[in-house]
Amino acid sequence: MDRSSPVPLYFQLSQQLEAAIENGRLAPGSLLGNEIELAGRLGLSRPTVRQAIQSLVDKGLLVRRRGIGTQVVHSQVKRPLELSSLYDDLEAAGQKPATRVLLNTTTVADAEVAAALGIAEGAEVALVERLRFAHGEPVAHLRNHLPAGLLTLQTAELEETGLYRLMRAAGITLHSARQAVGARAATADEGKRLEEPEGAPLLTMQRTTFDDTGRAVEFGSHVYRASRYAFEFQLLVRP
């Protein structure tokens, strides 16, 4: 703690704790102890510690448990808006990604998929549906359509790594994407799958990815737990 800084001590403490949670030094389930113990250990007043903890409780990163103390719940995934896969972003953030493949099959393109991929409605496409985990908790339900014959996707490989890595390994050069981000309430099935109550807020993302020839190579329709996930934007002033 920098006591000479104009930044309040409670905020300094909350920022340090949040950073420790996000980089995995404080894993889900870790106990911080109660406020009196923390205040004594850190040489801070109890109100300062209480305010720092409350700010992280409000963010959903900590929970107070009677008779136990303050416990880490989970860290929120903060993903930059760039052409990268969720798997790579989770791995880079130290979030220990894991995948459960729900579907790996072929189907026919409906109007939405056909328009996104620039193919005829009713054409055959590959369909991959996955549940992505971080630190053992579900974070997102991912649904991806790819043009038929683009590459062969093995379920075992999809559970070990990200889709974009497999595409690059197959010689596909990802160049750009068109993406839309939104939000809506979880259905009963989505809530059960993502361990959220029905009606809980979900973030949505639809993305069409293009290779270096301008060909659409993937259309993704994904939902994310808003309690565990956030998109980050960098905004620049126009000259």
Side-chain angles (χ1 to χ4, degrees), residues 151-172:
L151 77 163
T152 300
L153 294 170
Q154 301 293 336
T155 296
E157 292 178 324
L158 288 165
E159 291 187 337
E160 289 296 323
T161 189
L163 177 60
Y164 282 4
R165 286 189 188 180
L166 294 174
M167 294 174 76
R168 291 187 179 101
I172 300 166

Side-chain angles (χ1 to χ4, degrees), residues 207-228:
R207 174 190 283 179
T208 303
T209 305
F210 303 89
D211 67 8
D212 55 349
T213 69
R215 173 184 56 164
V217 292
E218 176 250 349
F219 172 61
S221 184
H222 307 159
V223 293
Y224 306 84
R225 294 173 66 183
S227 63
R228 294 283 285 107

Side-chain angles (χ1 to χ4, degrees), residues 26-43:
L26 284 175
S30 298
L31 291 172
L32 300 183
N34 59 42
E35 292 172 2
I36 298 175
E37 292 171 348
L38 281 173
R41 191 190 317 161
L42 299 172

Side-chain angles (χ1 to χ4, degrees), residues 57 104 133 138 160 184:
V57 169
N104 181 15
F133 296 80
E160 289 296 323
R184 61 175 173 78

